[in-house]
Amino acid sequence: MSNSPHLPAVNREWQLVKRPVGWPTPEDFALVEAPVPVPGEGQVLVRNIYLSVDPYMRGRMNAAKSYAAPYELGEAMRGGAVGEVVASNAEGFNVGDHVVHDLGWREYTAVDARDAVTVNGEIAPLSTYLGVLGMTGLTAYAGLLRAASFQEGDIVFVSGAAGAVGSEAGQLAKLMGASRVIGSAGSDDKVKVLLDEYGFDAAFNYKKAPVGEQLREAAPDGIDVYFDNVGGDHLDAALGSLNLHGRIAICGMISTYNNTEPAPGPVNLFRLIQTRGRMQGFLFRDHCDMQPLFVDQVGPWVASGALKYRETVVDGIQNMVEAFLGMLRGENIGKMLVKS
Ligand code: NAP
């Protein structure tokens, strides 16, 4: 099989060329030209439309082994993407289908059919399959229901609350009957979105005053659930405000991802004894069995507007590294995406 003459011959892909120490810089990456691949037996050729940039990708830039394999230097990077099938060598996939897969950071890719999931752009915008109805959405859902064992009436605190996972976790808690939802975010504009658009009961800018102080004010009756996207002083503060039998879902610790020294542990873990509390780390991919339930319950809320979402979309694959760095710096509201 060869590619149609209507397709471009040249593909662009991002490669990691140097392992960052601390904050990554643009010099750690290169946008490289490569041939558009020809799909092999059982593969589809996909033109990527939306590319995802996610905090976990920072971990993959280190050589150390973690839950996702390190990026190899000089190879195309990977990540979530949604695109259009432009050639198919696989049964069940037709030209024009849209698929989600994990070979992002490039314009065209040949994907094994078993690694591609068909999505319907007429039911929901294609970009949502990477965000509110995709990986970050399932993370919020599984984290809240499983890791945090959320129950109706809980007082819930969410950090990173204006981001993709956090904004959905807070709204889901509210829609499922939380008695109070509190969010923290890194700017006054984000705090305004939490209060005015997403229906949080209280929200604060963590850069303005100590988190513990602001949380005590926002949650005078303490918290039953903490959905942690940030770690560090947020985790200390949540432990400090935790109620009896409180639960902490450890989703992410973005405040530590660019550290060059190990982050100090929580100063008040003893609170787990006082409160008979529980901290539970989790990974969304262990909860894929919840996907049908997630789509059934959350899809209608998204469609009706009961659950609101925003996306920050950066145009052009050439700006993808800047989009990734911008997300780490907090320049996004909702899911950070790149339109290829
Ligand atoms: P996101 O929240 O949409 O974007 C990252 C946000 O982190 C930024 O917008 C920024 O917002 C905030 N941030 C950056 N540095 C910070 C700091 N030092 N202190 C506090 N906030 C900081 O990203 P996301 O994709 O939804 O991911 C959120 C968290 O979930 C991350 O920790 C990620 O690793 C984790 N995650 C876990 C899983 C899992 O399966 N466990 C899956 C997906 C994501 P501000 O302006 O508010 O600072």
Side-chain angles (χ1 to χ4, degrees):
M1 189 174 179
S2 60
N3 281 334
S4 146
H6 301 300
L7 288 174
V10 176
N11 191 15
R12 286 184 298 172
E13 62 183 37
W14 279 103
Q15 298 184 357
L16 186 70
V17 293
K18 204 148 54 75
R19 299 213 179 272
V21 179
W23 277 83
T25 66
E27 291 69 41
D28 298 327
F29 308 86
L31 186 59
V32 172
E33 291 193 349
V36 171
V38 176
E41 189 60 40
Q43 289 193 319
V44 288
L45 180 66
V46 179
R47 178 180 64 82
N48 285 329
I49 300 173
Y50 288 102
L51 304 161
S52 185
V53 288
D54 297 274
Y56 81 92
M57 291 169 171
R58 175 63 189 85
R60 300 189 73 173
M61 292 168 193
N62 299 332
K65 214 173 153 207
S66 182
Y67 52 84
Y71 292 130
E72 295 296 334
L73 295 182
E75 282 185 12
M77 292 161 67
R78 288 166 170 246
V82 61
E84 181 184 358
V85 173
V86 292
S88 176
N89 211 354
E91 211 176 304
F93 290 84
N94 297 311
V95 169
D97 286 353
H98 291 108
V99 291
V100 169
H101 60 87
D102 196 43
L103 294 176
W105 287 93
R106 66 197 92 179
E107 291 173 306
Y108 287 85
T109 186
V111 185
D112 288 343
R114 62 173 176 274
D115 298 330
V117 176
T118 306
V119 293
N120 189 336
E122 284 168 14
I123 295 179
L126 288 176
S127 57
T128 61
Y129 294 104
L130 297 175
V132 70
L133 293 174
M135 183 276 275
T136 53
L138 180 62
T139 301
Y141 190 76
L144 194 64
L145 293 179
R146 287 220 173 124
S149 306
F150 170 79
Q151 289 170 8
E152 208 178 318
D154 279 343
I155 302 172
V156 177
F157 172 44
V158 183
S159 57
V165 174
S167 59
E168 194 156 348
Q171 290 185 80
L172 286 176
K174 197 76 194 159
L175 286 162
M176 293 182 193
S179 62
R180 186 170 175 80
V181 176
I182 301 123
S184 70
S187 75
D188 291 347
D189 286 347
K190 290 186 180 186
V191 167
K192 199 168 154 37
V193 171
L194 297 184
L195 294 172
D196 297 351
E197 270 184 48
Y198 297 161
F200 281 58
D201 299 289
F204 60 86
N205 178 346
Y206 69 85
K207 292 179 179 165
K208 276 193 153 166
V211 181
E213 208 174 289
Q214 298 199 75
L215 181 59
R216 278 194 296 279
E217 205 170 301
D221 297 323
I223 59 172
D224 303 306
V225 164
Y226 172 45
F227 194 108
D228 191 12
N229 288 311
V230 166
D233 53 355
H234 273 84
L235 182 52
D236 287 342
L239 280 161
S241 283
L242 202 66
N243 288 337
L244 194 65
H245 302 303
R247 287 137 279 141
I248 297 179
I250 304 289
C251 175
M253 296 204 168
I254 197 165
S255 71
T256 68
Y257 293 174
N258 290 312
N259 283 1
T260 48
E261 297 295 328
V267 294
N268 50 355
L269 263 185
F270 188 75
R271 289 279 303 148
L272 288 181
I273 303 170
Q274 293 171 339
T275 59
R276 283 72 115 191
R278 171 166 69 76
M279 278 211 282
Q280 174 73 56
F282 74 99
L283 269 183
F284 79 95
R285 67 177 188 216
D286 296 332
H287 302 280
C288 289
D289 61 298
M290 293 185 105
Q291 178 72 19
L293 202 64
F294 163 64
V295 171
D296 279 358
Q297 192 169 15
V298 179
W301 282 335
V302 174
S304 71
L307 194 153
K308 300 190 172 50
Y309 69 95
R310 286 199 187 198
E311 294 167 341
T312 303
V313 182
V314 170
D315 208 38
I317 193 169
Q318 68 278 11
N319 297 316
M320 190 154 179
V321 164
E322 265 317 309
F324 172 72
L325 297 174
M327 179 274 301
L328 291 180
R329 289 191 294 258
E331 288 165 13
N332 57 312
I333 299 190
K335 182 82 193 84
M336 185 65 123
L337 295 167
V338 174
K339 189 150 191 318
S340 174

